[in-house]
Amino acid sequence: MQKLDRITVGALLDRTAAQFPENDALVYNHRDLRLSYQEFNRLCRKVAKGLMALGIQKGEHIAIWATNVPEWVTLQFTTGKMGAVLVTVNTNYKSFEVEYLLQQSDATTLVMIGGTKTTNYLKIINELCPELKDCPPGQLNSARLPLLKNIIFIGEEAQPGMLNWNDLLELANQITDEELDARQASLDPDDCINMQYTSGTTGFPKGVMLTHTNLVNNAHSIANCMAFSERDRLLITVPFFHCFGCVLGTMTCVVSGATMVPLEVFNPVRVLEIVDQERCTALHGVPTMFIMELEELAKGNYDVSSLRTGIMAGSPCPIEVMKAVVDRMGMKEITITYGQTEASPAITMTRTDDPIELRVATVGKVIPNVEAKIVDPETGEDCPPGIQGEICSRGYNVMKGYYKMPEATAQAIDQDGWLHTGDLGIMDEKGYFKITGRLKDMIIRGGENVYPREIEEFLYTHPLIKDVQVVGVPSMKYGEEVLAYVQLREGVTLTKEEIQDYCRDKIAKYKIPSYVLFIDHYPITASGKIQKYKLREQAITALGLENLTKIETA
């Protein structure tokens, strides 16, 4: 069994840069940006000194709200050197969610881009902090976000009240190498260095506190399962704000000396073009992404012969899609990873040398230095092989806890250190796991965790809605779609489109119900609890989705 690597994220980059100084570290194909490990490490040191010059202390929280731009991955390893905690913001978030995250996380600094095609981030932040237009950069005094002092804009144009990314590079001259080295040496591998917000299995998003040890060692295991080395080039199509992007992606490359080839925003044509042009050996994605890539591959002339491995994960992986990726994209050593943010994220994973039938039909065996078991949700007793129960995990990979939520942490991690995932599965005699469902009713849409209560709480604010229940229904494209059952107040009418319009620009697009069904009475238990599984069954029948429930997944 591999030994745990007791090293910080910053020291890890130093080590890799010393081992493979001339290897490509970071390549942005369309920007013609290419940095060797030596150059990338030098840049991260410079930005780290800039943040220190800004007065940011070890343990302070820096939020990043951006697509997969070069500054994102730079900031990930920069904070790993100077000790600030990187708080990742979902790029789909709108004002309601961003305000909640910035408040709950106690972020003192926000690094951001101007926005995406669908969301104007600058407009949102100026609405949340109208004081920006009149304050000097670095001296924000916001009524709604009292702890937020610095906003750093990734872009050339000057924004009122904000610093620009290039200002950080100039500020770096105020800090010596010795001061940065002393800061980096003061960090402990068990310090929290990354915070990601997940809906998990209860309520509003929670800040999952992940340590250097969590991330570095999970990345080592993932790299080993994929037989990754400094010769590999990974095309990272998944968002950095998820563990899929910033652990299975960037961290896994850096522990191996492999090349990170990020795509800023997913586009199946660009994926195939970059694989062809950069001779990528590995490709990550959720099933939805691979389905779109396969469709494009059938239309165009792309050379994907360099592909060897990669990870399909994020939501249940249809067996037929896995087979098509192996056969048509040549990814003979593709793997599946199962886990969750609270587990840094990997718990189990298939290996490149597993037989193909196991690699397409299971989520593999537990990774090194980690335990996993199946327990009876009612009794807590261990289940024998082949019997369904809740998947639990224990080891270095388990989060430090939820930020400022001790009760939620105690619900997730029991007294013996076992993380209760809320997922149902079975384990066979050889230790291979298969996911069979979810204990709670969380929806996974295209790799995004969607917790129904969050949408229900929001829809309750609509003046014409009396009650609402949200469930997931099967989808060929996304795995699941969001469906809202709505009870209206007496004597009023409302359409599906009006409800969707009410959600627009207030909650993330992927949370907006794709389906709305109006209902007078909910199915309930004898004790009065609403039976969501019955609502889901009714919806599947009403929408004619029965065939989609038969699709086999791992």
Side-chain angles (χ1 to χ4, degrees), residues 168-462:
L168 282 183
L169 303 180
E170 289 181 23
L171 284 167
N173 299 323
Q174 299 176 19
I175 302 292
T176 65
D177 284 336
E178 290 73 23
E179 286 172 305
L180 173 57
D181 291 342
R183 173 74 70 89
Q184 185 173 310
S186 75
L187 307 186
D188 188 292
D190 293 326
D191 290 339
C192 173
I193 197 62
N194 185 283
M195 229 160 79
Q196 298 185 37
Y197 275 76
T198 176
S199 297
T201 51
T202 53
F204 283 98
K206 299 182 286 293
V208 176
M209 296 186 287
L210 299 176
T211 67
H212 300 267
T213 296
N214 288 151
L215 304 178
V216 170
N217 288 284
N218 215 256
H220 274 302
S221 291
I222 292 156
N224 289 344
C225 288
M226 289 196 295
F228 234 47
S229 77
E230 74 278 6
R231 293 180 298 278
D232 281 297
R233 298 170 72 82
L234 171 64
L235 176 47
I236 307 171
T237 63
V238 289
F240 286 155
F241 65 77
H242 276 166
C243 275
F244 202 168
C246 69
V247 184
L248 283 71
T250 57
M251 287 294 300
T252 297
C253 286
V254 173
V255 298
S256 318
T259 303
M260 300 174 272
V261 187
L263 186 60
E264 287 184 38
V265 179
F266 176 74
N267 177 302
V269 173
R270 290 292 294 131
V271 169
L272 297 171
E273 287 173 350
I274 294 171
V275 168
D276 189 336
Q277 292 161 16
E278 295 293 338
R279 309 313 295 144
C280 293
T281 61
L283 174 62
H284 288 356
V286 298
T288 309
M289 290 176 171
F290 281 106
I291 290 166
M292 292 167 77
E293 288 153 12
L294 286 164
E295 286 172 355
E296 288 300 329
L297 191 59
K299 296 178 197 169
N301 184 23
Y302 305 98
D303 181 358
V304 296
S305 61
S306 58
L307 286 174
R308 170 183 73 82
T309 187
I311 298 171
M312 190 185 296
S315 59
C317 303
I319 290 168
E320 292 308 311
V321 176
M322 281 291 288
K323 287 177 179 173
V325 169
V326 170
D327 294 341
R328 290 169 49 202
M329 297 180 79
M331 295 173 67
K332 305 265 186 260
E333 297 178 17
I334 190 170
T335 59
I336 291 181
T337 308
Y338 160 72
Q340 57 184 202
T341 309
E342 290 88 338
S344 311
I347 297 171
T348 71
M349 188 165 175
T350 56
R351 277 62 167 174
T352 56
D353 57 357
D354 277 333
I356 185 68
E357 59 271 16
L358 287 173
R359 279 195 291 119
V360 299
T362 77
V363 295
K365 294 187 288 190
V366 69
I367 61 173
N369 296 305
V370 167
E371 297 174 84
K373 64 179 181 179
I374 306 281
V375 301
D376 185 311
E378 299 295 321
T379 66
E381 296 294 314
D382 290 7
C383 293
I387 299 298
Q388 177 180 275
E390 184 184 13
I391 300 171
C392 297
S393 178
R394 182 168 69 178
Y396 76 82
N397 64 327
V398 175
M399 65 172 175
K400 211 163 187 174
Y402 295 120
Y403 185 61
K404 297 194 305 187
M405 292 186 174
E407 289 179 6
T409 301
Q411 285 174 359
I413 305 169
D414 67 26
Q415 291 179 326
D416 296 321
W418 288 97
L419 171 69
H420 289 252
T421 66
D423 288 317
L424 295 170
I426 54 174
M427 181 179 70
D428 69 16
E429 288 84 353
K430 293 181 178 176
Y432 285 87
F433 284 74
K434 187 177 173 72
I435 311 302
T436 54
R438 282 186 296 285
L439 198 57
K440 299 288 198 304
D441 53 358
M442 186 177 73
I443 301 163
I444 301 181
R445 181 192 182 276
E448 294 277 11
N449 288 0
V450 181
Y451 193 74
R453 186 181 149 198
E454 196 183 345
I455 303 170
E456 290 162 0
E457 295 282 359
F458 174 73
L459 287 176
Y460 280 134
T461 66
H462 195 295

Side-chain angles (χ1 to χ4, degrees), residues 458-459 462 495-507 512-513:
F458 174 73
L459 287 176
H462 195 295
T495 65
K496 177 183 90 168
E497 289 74 22
E498 286 170 331
I499 289 173
Q500 290 170 332
D501 285 344
Y502 183 75
C503 296
R504 223 157 263 131
D505 296 326
K506 297 191 187 75
I507 61 173
I512 297 174

Side-chain angles (χ1 to χ4, degrees), residues 28-97:
Y28 277 79
N29 175 276
H30 66 290
R31 289 186 181 221
D32 202 22
L33 171 68
R34 292 172 194 276
L35 296 175
S36 68
Y37 267 100
Q38 193 172 49
E39 291 166 334
F40 181 59
N41 194 34
R42 203 177 293 137
L43 174 62
C44 290
R45 285 182 62 85
K46 194 167 187 178
V47 178
K49 288 195 284 185
L51 292 173
M52 288 172 65
L54 208 53
I56 296 174
Q57 301 299 310
K58 178 169 75 174
E60 261 189 67
H61 292 181
I62 299 179
I64 172 89
W65 191 19
T67 50
N68 289 10
V69 292
E71 292 84 358
W72 205 114
V73 65
T74 303
L75 195 62
Q76 179 183 4
F77 290 93
T78 290
T79 51
K81 288 181 175 296
M82 51 71 67
V85 177
L86 187 68
V87 181
T88 68
V89 185
N90 190 316
T91 53
N92 297 297
Y93 273 9
K94 302 287 197 283
S95 58
F96 180 78
E97 299 142 321

Side-chain angles (χ1 to χ4, degrees), residues 407-550:
E407 289 179 6
T409 301
Q411 285 174 359
I413 305 169
D414 67 26
Q415 291 179 326
D416 296 321
W418 288 97
L419 171 69
H420 289 252
T421 66
D423 288 317
L424 295 170
I426 54 174
M427 181 179 70
D428 69 16
E429 288 84 353
K430 293 181 178 176
Y432 285 87
F433 284 74
K434 187 177 173 72
I435 311 302
T436 54
R438 282 186 296 285
L439 198 57
K440 299 288 198 304
D441 53 358
M442 186 177 73
I443 301 163
I444 301 181
R445 181 192 182 276
E448 294 277 11
N449 288 0
V450 181
Y451 193 74
R453 186 181 149 198
E454 196 183 345
I455 303 170
E456 290 162 0
E457 295 282 359
F458 174 73
L459 287 176
Y460 280 134
T461 66
H462 195 295
L464 302 185
I465 291 177
K466 180 173 77 173
D467 198 1
V468 59
Q469 296 294 321
V470 170
V471 296
V473 292
S475 160
M476 177 64 81
K477 187 173 183 181
Y478 293 109
E480 284 185 295
E481 288 278 14
V482 177
L483 179 144
Y485 273 102
V486 174
Q487 284 185 349
L488 296 174
R489 297 191 184 280
E490 200 169 336
V492 302
T493 58
L494 205 55
T495 65
K496 177 183 90 168
E497 289 74 22
E498 286 170 331
I499 289 173
Q500 290 170 332
D501 285 344
Y502 183 75
C503 296
R504 223 157 263 131
D505 296 326
K506 297 191 187 75
I507 61 173
K509 189 178 178 183
Y510 65 88
K511 296 178 187 174
I512 297 174
S514 298
Y515 302 103
V516 176
L517 294 177
F518 295 94
I519 193 169
D520 293 324
H521 303 287
Y522 294 120
I524 57 172
T525 64
S527 60
K529 287 184 180 175
I530 293 170
Q531 296 171 302
K532 282 203 166 182
Y533 75 95
K534 283 196 176 175
L535 285 175
R536 187 172 186 271
E537 288 170 1
Q538 287 175 19
I540 288 168
T541 303
L543 299 169
L545 303 175
E546 292 91 346
N547 286 343
L548 296 183
T549 63
K550 297 168 188 168

